[in-house]
Amino acid sequence: MLAKLVRFVLLTRFSKPLLGVIAFFLAYDIVIRALTNSPGFSTGFSYYAVGATIFFITVSLLFGGLFILKSDRDYLLTLPLKRRDLSISLFTAQFVGSGITILFLFGFYLGGARTLEATAVLIADLAILAAVVTALGVVSNILSTWLRAGLAVILGLWCFSSILGNPFTPVSPFTGDLLYGSIVLFGLAVVIVPVALRELAYLELGSMRSMLRATSSQYKRTMSFSGRSPVRAIYSYHLSFLELVARVNLAGSTSYRATRVRTSTVLIISSALAAVYLSLGLSAFADLLSTRPVVLILPILMGVITLVLMSQATFSNERGWLAFTAMDPAVYLRHLLLSRAVSTLAIIGPFGIVNSVLAFLGVSEGVNSSIVLLITVPSASILATYLVARMGAVQQVKEEGMMPGQFDLKQFLVIIPIYIMVALIAVSEISLIGSIIIATVVGILALLMMASKSVWRGIAYRLTERGFV
Amino acid sequence: MTSFGQACIEVQFVTKSYGKTVALDDVSFTIPCGERFALLGPNGAGKSTTLRLLVGLLKPDTGTIKINGHEPFSPEAKSILGYLPEDATPYRTLSVRENLEYIAALRGVGDVREATERFLDDLSLREYERAKVGKLSRGNVQKLSIALALIHKPRIVLLDEPLNYLDIPTQERVFKMLKSLDSTQIVSTHIMSIATRLTEKAIMISRGKIVWNGTIDTLKGLERGEEPIESVVARLMTNAG
């Protein structure tokens, strides 16, 4: 029964071609790792491991969603199934959708192991880390926003402390402290995974109940659009709030909460973080922290988050029957995208400015980073949004907390062009000339695209044909 | 301005396909200004596609559509069209009031505040005005959606199953509201009592083709004995298939 249920749950959430491609790449990944000569653990690997782990933990906690369909709520959860079977099946789907990305992106650490025993432990560690990230995505559904953010900060700082030499962190197996790191990681999994399994076993009593709660939540402060022109109304909406909507994890985790955060609040928080970043960069601590790699890696991480979030979320909450029938879709989308790009600067802008200051004070990489954060990423986000919509890889979200539908291969493959842009960002970080050329080209392309009405009218028709109404 | 009897909606030889699936096949019809038509047809007949083409959300593969003499996607057509899709969802992160004000502003409504207040009262949405739409019941979402479709006083109204999810008192209120509008209307519905109460004429579509076009009275005239009008419609659709 369990095998049948796992199969059913997987096939209702992921198309067969998508599952096939995931399986192929995973097998390919493992074979390549096995045949590759051991590079050993280097400082670069450590930074990557810490950065990527913090990224996955943060994304899972802040935007982690359940791989639950509307039909699960109406049918699957009402069936007399064993709780254990249901829980394992749903966890497997969560794992395929989100945790498996860890295996793709961390696989090359296997090459860092010198012995067969160490390789076996590292393989186990990778699987456990993927399970932890998966479980955090599930657990986040029963935590309040502030608790999720707090936990993300605590776990992030814990992982970050491995750069300062702490061997007892969840990421330590991948920074050279295999024994202590493995014990800590295993301990973390023992705490978190059972909580996630229990949550999935009793969904209708936990997450689903909160989703289905009929009470209306009232906004204390609301926006007013009275007296605004159509274009000003678009800007006041999208510059006032950042919306947390839609699929965010790289392999297809969905998170839909009808949540909005005031842009001014985000700006204050990111400015405070940027100030901390600047003071660390200017202090004697900078040598220990190794500021330069941080200056290099930060824009890449921010680029990935921004591009993935922007490209997926911009249209997910859009309503064609309202916006595209009220005015020319080309005009609407042009201003929507521009306002989104500007509001993105509320998150990344302060770091761009701080990097300019660092550059002025002698950290030469700061110039590249500020060009990337202030020009390349916002411009690339417009191109990424276009690509995702053009490839038909975006889904309109209509149900609170529910997957909008089955994930297919197209939604997986759309990550490729987005990662080409991320690669361009990485190149920009290495070469100043490269960063200027890339920022200019990407900026001009974005401007040209914004200027073309036919491009955006075509997108509006395409979205409607795919069921966006 | 348009006068009664002049064609407000003209559809000529329109074909629309999604990949290999033909949704509408060489469809033509005309709706004179001020008249109310029901759009009837089985599931997947092409009703929603017809409405989306009329409102400019889709483009026909072949054929032409004119709304009061203008292309459906032109600003002139958009300003006089009001559209409610089936299972409509407004902006979920905005409150009820914000949705009304935002769409009124996008549509260039002169007095946004007045239009908002009117619909909050007319559709009993006042107590939810600050509520997040994502947390509303389906019935209240439908009420808000109707308000959003009508907030700019459109002269041509296209509604897809407008009374879905509404309780009976609200249905009656919406009936009255729609009847009182000085507009051309197309109402797509599966429920014949809605069609007979809201409209005087009907267009029947099956498998992407128009299979019947005439008055509701003529349709009633096709009844055999005690046969209800639903059976007549079913017979016409089945015979066409």
Side-chain angles (χ1 to χ4, degrees), chain A residues 57-124:
Chain A
I57 285 174
T58 307
V59 166
S60 286
L61 273 170
L62 293 183
F63 310 109
L66 294 170
F67 280 75
I68 298 294
L69 299 160
K70 187 171 177 283
S71 51
D72 292 337
R73 183 187 68 191
D74 300 336
Y75 303 107
L76 186 70
L77 297 181
T78 64
L79 293 175
L81 296 166
K82 279 186 187 166
R83 296 286 174 178
R84 186 188 65 101
D85 292 357
L86 185 65
S87 171
I88 292 172
S89 307
L90 292 173
F91 192 84
T92 308
Q94 294 278 146
F95 188 87
V96 171
S98 54
I100 214 162
T101 315
I102 293 272
L103 303 184
F104 284 126
L105 298 183
F106 276 49
F108 62 83
Y109 281 94
L110 298 181
R114 299 287 183 196
T115 63
L116 188 63
E117 293 79 12
T119 306
V121 173
L122 264 184
I123 289 173

Side-chain angles (χ1 to χ4, degrees), chain A residues 205-217:
Chain A
L205 302 175
S207 303
M208 297 291 282
R209 189 174 53 183
S210 64
M211 279 177 216
L212 294 171
R213 208 174 290 149
T215 51
S216 300
S217 67

Side-chain angles (χ1 to χ4, degrees), chain A residues 222-267:
Chain A
T222 56
M223 280 180 279
S224 176
F225 298 99
S226 184
R228 303 274 161 87
S229 70
V231 170
R232 271 192 69 200
I234 297 170
Y235 283 97
S236 6
Y237 175 8
H238 294 287
L239 293 182
S240 299
F241 294 100
L242 289 170
E243 289 173 329
L244 305 180
V245 183
R247 173 187 158 192
V248 288
N249 275 10
L250 307 184
S253 166
T254 185
S255 168
Y256 181 68
R257 292 187 182 88
T259 302
R260 65 188 199 188
V261 187
R262 292 190 81 83
T263 311
S264 53
T265 309
V266 174
L267 186 61

Side-chain angles (χ1 to χ4, degrees), chain B residues 158-213:
Chain B
L158 310 173
L159 307 166
D160 202 344
E161 298 290 1
L163 302 185
N164 274 359
Y165 311 108
L166 298 180
D167 56 43
I168 292 170
T170 311
Q171 285 188 20
E172 288 304 311
R173 207 173 301 149
V174 173
F175 269 129
K176 272 187 197 163
M177 185 185 279
L178 293 175
K179 287 292 243 184
S180 70
L181 291 178
D182 179 22
S183 61
T184 308
Q185 292 178 21
I186 298 182
V187 179
S188 171
T189 182
H190 290 293
I191 302 166
M192 282 311 295
S193 62
I194 294 174
T196 53
R197 283 188 69 182
L198 277 178
T199 64
E200 299 85 34
K201 292 184 177 177
I203 293 172
M204 216 176 287
I205 302 181
S206 185
R207 298 185 182 210
K209 286 180 178 289
I210 291 185
V211 294
W212 195 86
N213 187 346

Side-chain angles (χ1 to χ4, degrees), chain A residues 219-220 223 243 318 398, chain B residues 78 91-93 98 130:
Chain A
Y219 286 124
K220 285 180 192 144
M223 280 180 279
E243 289 173 329
E318 204 38 72
K398 291 183 176 176
Chain B
K78 284 183 189 299
Y91 289 96
R92 297 176 67 90
T93 53
E98 286 169 340
R130 299 172 81 89

